[in-house]
Structure formats: C-alpha cells, structure tokens
Amino acid sequence: ITNEKDYRNRRALLRAGILAGTAAATTWLYRRLASPAGSGKEAAGPQTGGYVTPEGEPATDLYDITHYNNFYEFSTSKEGVAPRAERFPTRPWTVEVGGLVHRPRTFDLEEVIRLGVEERVYRFRCVEAWSMVIPWLGVPLGRLLSQVEPMGSARFVAFETLFDPTRMPNQRTQVLPWPYVEGLRLDEALHPLTLLSTGLYGKALLPQNGAPIRLVVPWKYGFKSIKSVVRIRLVAEQPPTTWSMVASDEYGFYSNVHPGVSHPRWSQARERRIGSWGMRDTQLFNGYAEEVASLYTGMDLRQNY
Ligand code: MTE
C-alpha cells in the first residue's frame, strides 16, 4: 500500500494543477509511476499490497485504483472524481431488493455485509481499453438474491444508482440520464464470480469507487459495474441500461470483454494495464472464459455485444 509520503507528494502535484486535466498529463503520470528509473520511493514501482491474481498478475497500485475513476455523478474527468466525491455521505445506506421475488426486502449495508464478505483479486477491463487488477471485498450477488427468493418468471436483474443531486452534484447536469441503471441476465447475476463489492485492498470502498456498495462482473466491461447501488429488481424483460440508452450501437446489454468485437471507434484487441508499460492482448471474457463461456453457448457474441 502506498506510503503516506508518496501519496501526499502525488496529491500535491495533482493539486498544483501541474498534472491534472489533460490526457497527456495522465499518460505522463502513469509512465512516471511505472518507470523503473528515477529517484526516491517511486523507483520501486507500484505498491501492490502483495495481492496477485491466481495467474500471478500483481494488483494495481491503490493510488491508481482510487484516483483514476469513471463516476459521472461526480465528474466526467477521471482525476476529478476523487476530490469531488470525497465528502459523499454513505451512511446510513439501504438496498431495496424487489420485483419478481417471493420475499421482497430492504437490506441495510450491515445486513448485506453479514451475508459474508469474500476477497477476490479480479482483472478489471474498461471499454476504453485500459485495465487494472483489483483486490475486491464483496458478497456474491447470488447469496443476496437467494434471500429474496426469485420467482420462476424472473429472467433479468435491474440495478439502480442513488439519485440525489444534493449529494451527487453532476446529477444536476444532463451529461447522462439519471439515475445510472444497469442490468444482467439472471444466470449472470447468480454466477459465483459476480460480486456486490463493499471494499477493496482490505478496506471499505471509498466514494470514488462506488461506496458503499457496487456491482463487479469481472468478465464484462467496467461500465456494467454500477456504483452506489440503492435498488435491485428482478424483472421478466431485459431492462434498459444507461450506456446503451446513450449510444446503443456502441454499448450493448451484454458487454462481454471480447478481443474480436471492436467498439465502432476503436479496437478491443489490446489493452493498457494501468501502471505498466505497453499494451497487452485482451483476453476473451477478460480471462474468465473457462468459468463463464457456457452462459453464452449458441449465442452470437457479435450480435449480442
Ligand atoms: N456507476 C455509476 N453510477 N456511474 C458511473 O459513471 N461508471 C462506470 C462504472 N460504474 C459509472 C458507474 C464505468 S464507465 C467504469 S469503467 C467503472 O464504473 C469504473 O470503476 P472504478 O472507477 O472503480 O475503476
């Protein structure tokens, strides 16, 4: 974990505005953090906290995970999210779970946590062709859903972020339709890899990462992992999702990571691992094909992107 001195130095640079704001500056910052040359603590490279994926990939630096964010409710600039979300109040917090279920119920955060939090080190692949490795804490979503007893007619799960412009300032703007909504097919939601995350790096989530509870679906592009969830509904029909409402030809419902299915404006064949040099090959289903490919047997993944 990043020591406090380095953390403060980087923050000071960012605050001074030397680095903030431009894509070129962001690239420079990440090159510098990944650079084996140079002086001081940063020469040692990213701080991984000792976390690795089962395949041996080290976790992304905690600073990068918590300062390079997409969370449009606070800012459309990746570096702008953390400072603007800093004082977002996340307690008390409840998640209402209803729709086509036999036992609808509102859980408070502590009740979700009591269902049993597990630690999982997953790759995280954004549709923008960058990736990270994140050590999540979370409850398998299936465990929560079994509590409410889905009806036989439930085929999809719809998720909703908090809508409160007094706490999420960009909800006063029209940059996206609010609240942010997402969805999964029920079998995807019940898959053991799917988590409702409550923390990372062994601690509770910070606001910028979707505190106090966010979805994590490691074989799908990052925008499926909806943050600051307040409502989950079991439904019969495929629910609307924010990014496919905004641009349906660019962002589909399934959004499975696939090196052979390009975004209309860029290739998905390769990706940049934040904190490392160069590009690496994108893996089918983000490397989780063995676990999840059977969910899509007989489905054309180009049509159902
Ligand atoms: N959830 C909400 N409510 N609002 C958002 O803007 N951005 C998504 C997703 N969940 C987003 C969201 C996108 S595009 C990505 S890549 C991930 O959150 C980023 O998660 P991270 O900042 O924790 O890496």
Side-chain angles (χ1 to χ4, degrees):
I1 293 175
T2 311
N3 74 35
E4 201 183 9
K5 187 171 128 282
D6 288 350
Y7 178 82
R8 281 176 196 278
N9 283 342
R10 291 178 206 171
R11 276 182 65 101
L13 282 171
L14 284 166
R15 237 192 265 116
I18 297 166
L19 297 173
T22 68
T26 307
T27 305
W28 182 88
L29 176 66
Y30 287 114
R31 295 238 165 96
R32 183 165 157 63
L33 297 182
S35 170
S39 58
K41 192 76 168 54
E42 284 176 1
Q47 312 287 300
T48 66
Y51 291 103
V52 287
T53 62
E55 294 78 22
E57 300 151 280
T60 301
D61 189 309
L62 175 62
Y63 184 88
D64 292 347
I65 296 173
T66 55
H67 291 81
Y68 188 77
N69 300 107
N70 280 328
F71 201 170
Y72 277 31
E73 284 84 342
F74 293 98
S75 174
T76 52
S77 128
K78 288 180 174 47
E79 295 78 11
V81 173
R84 275 177 218 164
E86 202 172 0
R87 278 184 286 277
F88 175 58
T90 58
R91 298 288 192 286
W93 193 275
T94 58
V95 184
E96 183 192 322
V97 190
L100 300 173
V101 301
H102 293 291
R103 300 165 68 92
R105 183 173 154 193
T106 297
F107 294 81
D108 62 39
L109 182 64
E110 287 65 32
E111 288 175 308
V112 176
I113 288 171
R114 274 203 296 275
L115 294 174
V117 169
E118 300 179 11
E119 189 153 63
R120 307 266 182 92
V121 186
Y122 285 160
R123 286 173 292 279
F124 182 84
R125 173 60 157 81
C126 177
V127 74
E128 298 163 337
W130 53 264
S131 63
M132 298 190 184
V133 169
I134 304 184
W136 299 106
L137 292 172
V139 177
L141 176 61
R143 204 177 288 164
L144 178 93
L145 296 181
S146 69
Q147 299 280 310
V148 298
E149 298 173 17
M151 294 177 178
S153 51
R155 290 176 52 235
F156 292 90
V157 185
F159 303 84
E160 211 174 294
T161 293
L162 174 72
F163 179 71
D164 183 351
T166 66
R167 288 151 79 191
M168 294 181 144
N170 258 12
Q171 288 181 335
R172 295 198 196 95
T173 75
Q174 311 289 309
V175 290
L176 285 179
W178 310 113
Y180 195 101
V181 290
E182 256 306 336
L184 294 173
R185 227 170 47 193
L186 182 58
D187 58 347
E188 297 175 323
L190 295 175
H191 192 282
L193 289 179
T194 305
L195 282 190
L196 267 183
S197 171
T198 54
L200 58 80
Y201 260 91
K203 296 208 167 125
L205 285 178
L206 291 173
Q208 58 265 43
N209 295 108
I213 195 158
R214 62 90 65 86
L215 187 64
V216 175
V217 195
W219 70 96
K220 293 181 180 282
Y221 292 119
F223 65 85
K224 297 296 288 182
S225 64
I226 179 173
K227 294 177 166 180
S228 305
V229 172
V230 291
R231 192 164 296 113
I232 299 176
R233 289 179 56 79
L234 287 276
V235 295
E237 305 296 332
Q238 184 177 301
T241 62
T242 291
W243 282 101
S244 51
M245 282 190 262
V246 172
S248 60
D249 52 331
E250 299 191 13
Y251 310 103
F253 178 80
Y254 283 94
S255 301
N256 292 313
V257 176
H258 196 317
V261 179
S262 294
H263 183 278
R265 292 184 280 127
W266 59 84
S267 164
Q268 295 291 19
R270 295 174 60 78
E271 66 195 50
R272 184 169 63 96
R273 178 68 50 86
I274 298 297
S276 307
W277 282 100
M279 303 287 280
R280 62 182 66 213
D281 288 342
T282 296
Q283 301 183 72
L284 180 63
F285 296 113
N286 203 23
Y288 300 99
E290 207 175 297
E291 291 91 338
V292 303
S294 62
L295 294 172
Y296 309 103
T297 308
M299 221 171 109
D300 181 346
L301 297 173
R302 275 165 221 282
Q303 290 295 316
N304 297 283
Y305 56 92

